[in-house]
Amino acid sequence: MREIKVDVCVIGGGSGGLSFAAGAAQMGAKVVLLEGHKMGGDCLNYGCVPSKALLAAGHRAHAMAQNGFGVTGGAVTTDYAAAKDHVAATIATIEPHDSQERFEGLGVEVIREFGRFIAHDTVQAGDEATIKARRFVISTGSRPFVPPIPGAADTPYHTNETIFDLRERPEHLIVIGAGPIGLEMAQAHRRLGCEVTVLEGAKALGKDDPELAAIALENLRAEGINIVEGAQVAEVSGTEGDIQVSTADGTTYAGTHLLMAVGRQVNIEKLDLHCAGVESTRAGVTVDASLRSVTNRKVYAIGDVAGGLQFTHVAGYHAGVIVRQILMGLPAKASNDHIPWATYIDPEMSQIGLTEVQAREKYGDKLTVVRAEFSGNDRAIATGQTTGMIKVMVVKGRPVGAGIVGPQAGELIQVWALAIANRLKMSGISAMVAPYPTLGEINKRAAGAYFTPKLFDSVWVKRIVGLVQKL
């Protein structure tokens, strides 16, 4: 077994680990990267990339079936296996960017083994090598959480790690969980010709702004997706093609296929963290604001395994935070205040910062909430995409949160991500000139809505205008 000494050992070849390894190697550090499964991690192989590819297929089918603008739609023939071919082709196109060969070309030593700690400063990579490093970066990500539902062990089910390999279209897909993953897959499959039932034990899209979530859920139900809230699953049973799901109220739902989409659990079991004195919980490695282990200062954790928001772009952001510390010796802390996220159903949903409920709890009557409807946006009217709205939470002239439900919400939220990250005021958004007609004008309209009462309802403004007109 080889003995390797490096500056940094990165455990996990997902988004965060790859981002850090690439940056560190190109800046001159000696880096070894351990990955025992697929390069690119969950996002490339089972998450963001394949889900958006399947959603795109569903969107195409839905658009072709619609009547409007002088075009007659109609019955659409969908080929589920061909849609999965598109998913596979999408992954294959992006795959080289995350490949072992590319990272070796950047100067990273890549070892295709899982890593586990055997001492506070040593990791063993399978039977291939032991690695001593000055610093370790844990970026092992997460996997689907499957709750201990009675009957689950004996009933065939899918998770996001297997659903994209399914080649035969489900006649009736039952989805347990109405969060982003569950609803994205529900809409994609509905638009590709499946019956879909979604069972949620609490509230669908429960982590999102209720006002915005209600708009999205109404649209999903209008497409024929049966979303049942407050449906605590008590038991599952059956075989592939004949699935039964019973809920606590005694109702039984029958389908042909089952998808578990109830959350994530971090991948830390194989790491033997106790051997390195690294404290952890079920949420992940216990880290401080700098993403450094509180019990072993040689160890950092980024992405899902750091115990915070579980998004690919967060892992990439975390990589930048620790690059500054490990490579440049500069202090840096991670924050969630400026992190946006999106759910890619139709209409899309996006959020950054505080929701209205959170902002009211924190700021009380100091909070101003402004709204703008897509029905008042000329581009949305022209393209028939008027469902949705934006709402912005403002305190002392600065946005502290924004939420959007509507077309291209994931793109439109980026203006507010810029504003919040750089502590811009609403006046900065209002001063922006957006090309006409664009959906982006809705951001400027929301900023204008903040100033409207200050300008048009102000007695002092009217007095000043009246005085100027007399000069």
Side-chain angles (χ1 to χ4, degrees):
M1 184 178 295
R2 290 189 297 149
E3 293 185 3
I4 303 173
K5 291 185 178 181
V6 292
D7 296 314
V8 188
C9 174
V10 181
I11 309 173
S15 174
L18 294 180
S19 295
F20 176 84
Q26 292 178 93
M27 293 173 72
K30 188 175 182 181
V31 182
V32 63
L33 170 70
L34 310 181
E35 175 51 65
H37 192 34
K38 293 185 177 182
M39 295 287 285
D42 187 86
C43 178
L44 171 63
N45 298 289
Y46 311 116
C48 317
V49 171
S51 64
K52 304 312 163 279
L54 193 65
L55 280 164
H59 178 76
R60 179 72 62 88
H62 181 73
M64 292 177 66
Q66 304 307 302
N67 298 324
F69 315 125
V71 177
T72 301
V76 174
T77 300
T78 60
D79 186 332
Y80 188 76
K84 291 300 182 66
D85 289 340
H86 167 63
V87 171
T90 301
I91 295 172
T93 301
I94 299 173
E95 209 166 34
H97 185 268
D98 293 349
S99 67
Q100 178 175 341
E101 293 75 15
R102 175 174 179 262
F103 279 81
E104 288 175 339
L106 294 173
V108 179
E109 180 173 358
V110 180
I111 299 176
R112 301 303 294 272
E113 297 281 357
F114 290 108
R116 65 181 183 88
F117 284 95
I118 58 176
H120 77 287
D121 64 347
T122 309
V123 162
Q124 182 171 326
D127 296 326
E128 183 169 339
T130 57
I131 301 106
K132 283 186 176 291
R134 295 171 59 82
R135 298 288 184 270
F136 295 88
V137 176
I138 299 174
S139 55
T140 47
S142 63
R143 64 187 185 278
F145 170 67
V146 178
I149 300 171
D154 301 314
T155 305
Y157 63 82
H158 290 278
T159 68
N160 69 293
E161 290 187 345
T162 62
I163 190 71
F164 298 109
D165 292 329
L166 183 64
R167 302 287 296 176
E168 183 178 347
R169 180 173 58 206
E171 182 179 333
H172 188 157
L173 179 66
I174 299 178
V175 181
I176 299 179
I181 295 174
L183 291 182
E184 286 181 4
M185 288 298 92
Q187 188 172 45
H189 281 81
R190 177 59 183 157
R191 289 181 166 187
L192 290 172
C194 309
E195 292 295 318
V196 179
T197 298
V198 182
L199 305 177
E200 168 57 49
K203 294 286 291 182
L205 295 172
K207 294 183 179 180
D208 291 280
D209 183 291
E211 183 179 11
L212 303 181
I215 296 171
L217 293 171
E218 181 180 2
N219 188 78
L220 293 175
R221 288 184 168 114
E223 290 190 16
I225 301 172
N226 182 24
I227 302 172
V228 186
E229 298 177 289
Q232 290 285 349
V233 174
E235 184 179 8
V236 297
S237 61
T239 58
E240 190 85 357
D242 183 18
I243 300 292
Q244 291 81 42
V245 179
S246 300
T247 53
D249 64 0
T251 305
T252 297
Y253 299 87
T256 59
H257 294 73
L258 178 62
L259 173 64
M260 297 283 193
V262 294
R264 310 282 298 173
Q265 63 184 98
V266 296
N267 296 320
I268 58 175
E269 294 84 357
K270 296 180 180 180
L271 293 171
D272 287 347
L273 295 175
H274 63 280
C275 293
V278 176
E279 182 180 297
S280 65
T281 67
R282 291 178 62 187
V285 177
T286 305
V287 296
D288 59 20
S290 66
L291 302 173
R292 200 173 192 178
S293 166
V294 298
T295 54
N296 183 337
R297 306 304 284 170
K298 288 180 174 289
V299 176
Y300 294 76
I302 61 176
D304 292 4
V305 80
L309 296 175
Q310 295 182 337
F311 301 112
T312 298
H313 51 284
V314 171
Y317 161 63
H318 282 175
V321 171
I322 66 168
V323 159
R324 291 193 288 275
Q325 298 173 70
I326 295 176
L327 301 180
M328 307 299 293
L330 300 174
K333 294 182 178 180
S335 170
N336 289 334
D337 294 346
H338 64 304
I339 301 296
W341 64 90
T343 301
Y344 297 93
I345 52 178
D346 180 12
E348 284 186 12
M349 296 188 66
S350 60
Q351 177 71 41
I352 185 171
L354 302 177
T355 64
E356 181 180 357
V357 171
Q358 293 167 338
R360 289 200 183 282
E361 289 177 352
K362 184 172 183 177
Y363 293 107
D365 58 9
K366 296 178 181 178
L367 174 69
T368 300
V369 179
V370 293
R371 295 172 172 81
E373 304 277 349
F374 278 90
S375 60
N377 177 274
D378 291 357
R379 181 63 179 273
I381 293 170
T383 58
Q385 297 174 296
T386 55
T387 298
M389 65 179 294
I390 178 174
K391 60 191 298 189
V392 184
M393 281 51 71
V394 188
V395 176
K396 295 182 179 179
R398 283 194 171 90
V400 297
I404 306 173
V405 58
Q408 298 185 36
E411 311 294 330
L412 296 173
I413 200 68
Q414 295 176 38
V415 167
W416 301 101
L418 176 68
I420 291 176
N422 293 280
R423 290 185 55 78
L424 302 181
K425 290 189 173 183
M426 295 294 282
S427 56
I429 308 299
S430 181
M432 174 188 72
V433 178
Y436 175 87
T438 57
L439 294 174
E441 287 183 291
I442 197 169
N443 288 325
K444 184 175 174 68
R445 183 179 288 270
Y450 175 72
F451 291 105
T452 295
K454 300 178 186 301
L455 290 174
F456 301 145
D457 298 338
S458 170
V459 174
W460 285 106
V461 170
K462 292 179 179 179
R463 287 179 180 177
I464 292 171
V465 171
L467 177 62
V468 170
Q469 301 314 303
K470 293 178 182 179
L471 297 179

